[in-house]
Amino acid sequence: MKYLAIGLAAAMGAAGCSPKPENAVEASAITDAEPTSGVLLANMDNSVRPGDDFFQYVNGSWLDNTPIPADKASYGNFTVLREDSQANVRKIIEESAAGDFAMGSDEQKVGDLYASYLDREQRDAVGLMPLKAEFESIDAITDTTRLATWMAAANKQGISLPFVVGQYADFKDPNKYMIYTFQGGLGLPDREYYFDPNQKFIDIRAAYKEHVTAMFALAEVDNPEAAAASVYAIEEKLAAGHMKKEKTRDMVAIYNKLPLGELPDLMPNFAWEPFLAEAEIANIDGLVVTQLDYMRGLDDIITATSIDDWRTYLKWRVIDAKATQLTTAMDAQNFAFRGKMLLGIEEQQPMWRRGVNTVNQHLGEVVGKVYVKRHFPPAAKAKMQELVGNLIKAYEISIRDLAWMSEDTRTEALDKLSKFTPKVGYPDEWQDYSDLTINPGDLYGNLKRSAELSYQKAIERQSGPVDRNEWAMTPQTVNAYYNPPLNEIVFPAGILQPPFFDLEADDAINYGAIGAVIGHEIGHGFDDSGSTFDGNGVLRNWWTEEDRAEFKRRTGKLIAQYSAFKPFDDLAVNGEYTLGENIGDLGGLSIGLLAYKLSLDGAEAPVIDGFTGVQRVFLGYGQVWRNKYREEALRNQIGTDPHAPSMYRTNGVVRNVPEFYEAFDVSADDELYLPPEERVKIW
């Protein structure tokens, strides 16, 4: 069973010890060698004033001279590290693929899953047989009762349906699991793609209809053009009722727990009893319905749509979900739309990279155990844990000094900060895959069994306590996240590398890079969504009315700032949707800078490569977000991603940090200049 995405992101650390004043952060004796500056001088563009475009100043030479690879939508630090991680995991996988291991062993599963992905000849020989079996079950749907039953069964495979159910910690009692519903069922990335009058969206809609038609033809569905029209009509109705993505960030508004007996009042035309029985959740005490209005509207759509049209729509949902697992022709058509049309990618990634991704998704902690032994030494974990502690200390000092916050709210905020649980590198307990059967030459069956087993494990633990040892990312993942109900910040080993964390660099660059990323994740606990949970992970209001109003006033200014960024004449950043990440970025850099200053303990920072310590903190931050986009990919990110594009994650933050102005002699004549009264400080 898939977790419902509620809010996550990135991180890393350092070490050392000496007597310090009570509030001092310990300096990190990263290495015995003379530290380098960590500044990537060759990437900089010194013809640009830092105060005009700090992102270009830090990264301009690299941006001007680095092409985006043909198989990428965008290219930057995250991409490079992910490719390195894939290459390292490939070596681990290929050792399993080359060995003669017993059936059922972890090595056999890893090797045969990877081989089944790469075996194009076998996949083409199997052809449409897996689809035909799915279609037979769909053709057996004759009424809304069987429709509901089929939807519950398909949900176990992770197929996107008009609504899905998934397991997550209970917002009101995070020691227990809860089942949530969430809107779904669209083939385009977001509801706005169906209605935006911009010509680019009109072109995407036309291309999507052609894509659905082509896929139906490849799946040998009768009258594919009419079938595609039927699918689009249903999706358009679903999209019209979808809660806007900005509103899904309101955790209070989406927590609507209904006893199972009240579900028919919400959707009287939906066959809840057979749905819940097939979903194996008929005995739970209630269901959290995250979008009430959408579900009410869906009830009407269900009855207004013929069973024939529903069967056609469900066949499309299966095709769309399984396309990359089937024939070469279906995979290529899927890429033509989802890769080329939506993201501007010129060619697909090599099969081995896609195979590695598949193994990471389904057997990730098997290879993760080997990965951390080879690529994440214990010393790195210890250093990371210390840097996390330093950032938490700096946050505590900052919260204590906030002029805009009352003592009552401050007490609650400090209590929450004291209860953060950091997880670094890899889990203490590894997942057990012993019940998963992987057969060579059966990619479709392997992935279906994996999804269904994941669902079954969730069902089996539903009545038990929340597993606080579980990770939502594998150790080799280049990313990180904050989990509100568990109040935990999680930093996989994969991201703990340069330029995020450089063992040979001076402290300043690390505080600006991984320090800001750690601060970002801590900041998610205090952003517009995370701040609705207390230190125990309970969804409750711990703010005074006046402090919450001031928080909204300050974040409103941040929304306005980011909404003014326009990479294209016809498209601006969505300041409301990106607010949580922007709060995290602003707090992350501000607190990373404070932690660096505290680590100096009054000593003068060295000047290295001509840059002061404070300048290097900012440069480290700017280097992290080095990235460039294809136009289609940038438009897609703005339309669907809660993260602002990289150039605005850089420029949008530094202009709000007072030290930036002094460090780089920024004046009112510079493009990034903001008058002091317009600069936003939250945490």
Side-chain angles (χ1 to χ4, degrees):
M1 183 180 290
K2 303 297 183 183
Y3 284 93
L4 296 174
I6 307 289
L8 316 170
M12 170 93 191
C17 60
S18 60
K20 302 294 174 194
E22 182 180 9
N23 283 336
V25 171
E26 292 184 336
S28 41
I30 295 174
T31 175
D32 293 333
E34 189 70 22
T36 66
S37 75
V39 178
L40 303 176
L41 298 171
N43 289 345
M44 298 179 68
D45 183 352
N46 290 299
S47 70
V48 177
R49 280 186 57 79
D52 283 337
D53 187 340
F54 191 66
F55 179 76
Q56 187 72 22
Y57 169 71
V58 176
N59 303 303
S61 181
W62 182 91
L63 293 167
D64 292 342
N65 295 291
T66 305
I68 300 175
D71 62 347
K72 302 292 186 294
S74 63
Y75 192 65
N77 288 326
F78 280 95
T79 316
V80 172
L81 289 186
R82 283 167 182 156
E83 289 196 324
D84 289 346
S85 176
Q86 286 176 330
N88 290 327
V89 171
R90 181 188 188 182
K91 294 176 183 177
I92 297 169
I93 292 172
E94 290 184 342
E95 289 171 8
S96 294
D100 183 17
F101 298 102
M103 191 70 180
S105 65
D106 283 348
E107 293 85 353
Q108 175 269 321
K109 292 173 184 177
V110 167
D112 282 348
L113 178 58
Y114 183 65
S116 70
Y117 189 92
L118 296 185
D119 193 347
R120 278 287 196 193
E121 185 176 345
Q122 173 64 16
R123 289 164 62 178
D124 285 337
V126 172
L128 300 178
M129 282 196 297
L131 274 188
K132 299 300 185 186
E134 304 281 6
F135 287 179
E136 286 179 7
S137 69
I138 293 172
D139 287 334
I141 298 172
T142 55
D143 53 34
T144 54
T145 297
R146 292 190 179 185
L147 173 66
T149 302
W150 190 92
M151 288 173 61
N155 185 78
K156 297 176 182 179
Q157 297 184 47
I159 295 173
S160 178
L161 300 162
F163 76 93
V164 296
V165 295
Q167 185 186 72
Y168 199 65
D170 190 339
F171 288 1
K172 294 298 183 77
D173 185 357
N175 293 313
K176 300 190 330 186
Y177 287 112
M178 176 56 63
I179 301 296
Y180 296 77
T181 72
F182 209 85
Q183 63 193 14
L186 305 184
L188 289 173
D190 180 67
R191 72 181 301 279
E192 305 306 326
Y193 278 70
Y194 292 85
F195 308 113
D196 195 306
N198 185 297
Q199 185 60 47
K200 292 186 181 296
F201 286 95
I202 293 173
D203 293 342
I204 288 173
R205 289 194 284 272
Y208 178 58
K209 293 172 186 176
E210 293 174 0
H211 167 62
V212 179
T213 300
M215 292 292 273
F216 270 135
L218 290 171
E220 299 178 358
V221 172
D222 292 338
N223 201 347
E225 190 170 352
S230 176
V231 165
Y232 190 85
I234 293 175
E235 288 188 5
E236 192 174 47
K237 292 176 184 176
L238 297 175
H242 266 220
M243 178 185 281
K244 291 187 176 181
K245 56 184 176 291
E246 299 86 353
K247 304 303 181 185
T248 63
R249 293 186 50 77
D250 186 340
M251 300 296 105
V252 176
I254 68 172
Y255 187 89
N256 306 293
K257 185 176 178 180
L258 299 180
L260 299 188
E262 294 182 14
L263 293 173
D265 296 333
L266 178 69
M267 296 178 66
N269 296 306
F270 186 74
W272 280 109
E273 189 172 334
F275 178 90
L276 296 170
E278 177 62 30
E280 302 177 63
I281 53 175
N283 60 346
I284 62 176
D285 66 350
L287 198 63
V288 171
V289 180
T290 54
Q291 291 94 19
L292 290 171
D293 289 342
Y294 169 73
M295 296 292 274
R296 292 188 187 101
L298 175 60
D299 195 55
D300 294 332
I301 295 172
I302 287 174
T303 55
T305 304
S306 71
I307 291 297
D308 279 346
D309 285 346
W310 275 122
R311 285 195 290 256
T312 300
Y313 169 82
L314 296 178
K315 288 177 181 179
W316 168 240
R317 298 286 1 114
V318 173
I319 293 169
D320 198 31
K322 308 289 188 176
T324 60
Q325 306 170 26
L326 296 163
T327 66
T328 301
M330 297 193 83
D331 185 39
Q333 175 57 42
N334 184 73
F335 172 75
F337 179 73
R338 302 212 173 276
K340 288 185 178 179
M341 181 67 193
L342 289 181
L343 301 176
I345 304 173
E346 296 171 6
E347 61 185 46
Q348 279 191 294
Q349 288 192 339
M351 284 289 289
W352 74 263
R353 288 196 183 277
R354 297 156 65 195
V356 166
N357 289 341
T358 299
V359 174
N360 277 336
Q361 182 180 355
H362 295 272
L363 291 166
E365 290 194 13
V366 172
V367 293
K369 283 189 283 189
V370 181
Y371 178 90
V372 296
K373 288 179 181 178
R374 296 183 182 180
H375 304 287
F376 191 61
K381 181 168 183 172
K383 291 175 182 178
M384 174 61 183
Q385 289 170 325
E386 182 148 3
L387 188 52
V388 171
N390 288 347
L391 267 293
I392 290 176
K393 290 178 185 177
Y395 252 104
E396 178 184 352
I397 293 169
S398 182
I399 291 172
R400 290 188 186 280
D401 291 343
L402 286 178
W404 64 269
M405 181 174 283
S406 72
E407 287 306 313
D408 287 345
T409 305
R410 191 189 324 275
T411 298
E412 293 276 5
L414 290 170
D415 177 72
K416 177 167 186 173
L417 183 69
S418 72
K419 294 176 178 177
F420 267 76
T421 299
K423 294 180 176 179
V424 176
Y426 50 88
D428 294 327
E429 298 177 11
W430 298 96
Q431 285 192 43
D432 178 9
Y433 298 90
S434 58
D435 291 334
L436 177 60
T437 299
I438 298 295
N439 292 325
D442 184 21
L443 176 65
Y444 191 98
N446 290 336
L447 301 188
K448 183 175 181 178
R449 285 187 291 274
S450 176
E452 291 177 341
L453 179 62
S454 177
Y455 185 96
Q456 197 58 45
K457 285 183 176 180
I459 291 299
E460 290 172 358
R461 71 182 185 185
Q462 177 64 27
S463 60
V466 166
D467 182 359
R468 292 178 175 269
N469 295 310
E470 185 177 43
W471 282 44
M473 291 179 180
T474 64
Q476 59 271 30
T477 301
V478 182
N479 209 334
Y481 65 92
Y482 171 69
N483 184 349
L486 273 60
N487 199 26
E488 62 182 10
I489 45 177
V490 185
F491 309 113
I495 197 172
L496 308 183
Q497 309 173 61
F500 293 94
F501 181 58
D502 188 346
L503 286 168
E504 298 180 354
D506 172 72
D507 281 357
I509 211 78
N510 284 311
Y511 276 103
I514 199 62
V517 174
I518 294 169
H520 172 103
E521 295 307 330
I522 298 171
H524 273 309
F526 300 102
D527 69 17
D528 55 318
S529 290
S531 63
T532 58
F533 295 82
D534 69 13
N536 296 316
V538 177
L539 183 68
R540 72 171 180 88
N541 182 19
W542 47 270
W543 295 70
T544 66
E545 186 175 336
E546 295 76 14
D547 288 343
R548 177 56 78 176
E550 178 62 17
F551 177 80
K552 289 185 176 179
R553 187 189 71 80
R554 289 169 180 257
T555 58
K557 291 174 65 175
L558 206 60
I559 290 172
Q561 286 185 19
Y562 279 80
S563 296
F565 291 132
K566 294 187 68 173
F568 307 106
D569 291 340
D570 61 344
L571 185 62
V573 172
N574 187 331
E576 184 179 358
Y577 189 49
T578 59
L579 177 61
E581 301 299 332
N582 299 335
I583 293 171
D585 285 343
L586 177 56
L589 178 57
S590 300
I591 302 302
L593 181 60
L594 174 60
Y596 172 67
K597 290 178 178 178
L598 292 168
S599 75
L600 296 173
D601 192 23
E604 188 74 22
V607 174
I608 309 178
D609 282 344
F611 295 106
T612 67
V614 170
Q615 286 177 324
R616 294 196 305 280
V617 172
F618 283 102
L619 293 169
Y621 180 78
Q623 288 176 175
V624 160
W625 301 116
R626 181 174 70 246
N627 194 67
K628 59 193 302 183
Y629 304 85
R630 298 186 188 279
E631 178 181 339
E632 298 89 342
L634 181 54
R635 288 179 177 275
N636 182 272
Q637 175 168 336
I638 291 172
T640 63
D641 197 321
H643 300 84
S646 295
M647 52 280 207
Y648 305 126
R649 296 189 75 169
T650 306
N651 290 340
V653 168
V654 297
R655 68 203 306 240
N656 283 293
V657 180
E659 290 88 343
F660 173 66
Y661 291 81
E662 181 179 356
F664 293 97
D665 193 25
V666 179
S667 71
D669 295 329
D670 292 313
E671 293 292 328
L672 293 180
Y673 179 84
L674 284 174
E677 66 274 12
E678 292 183 18
R679 299 170 198 168
V680 177
K681 176 176 173 58
I682 302 172
W683 298 104

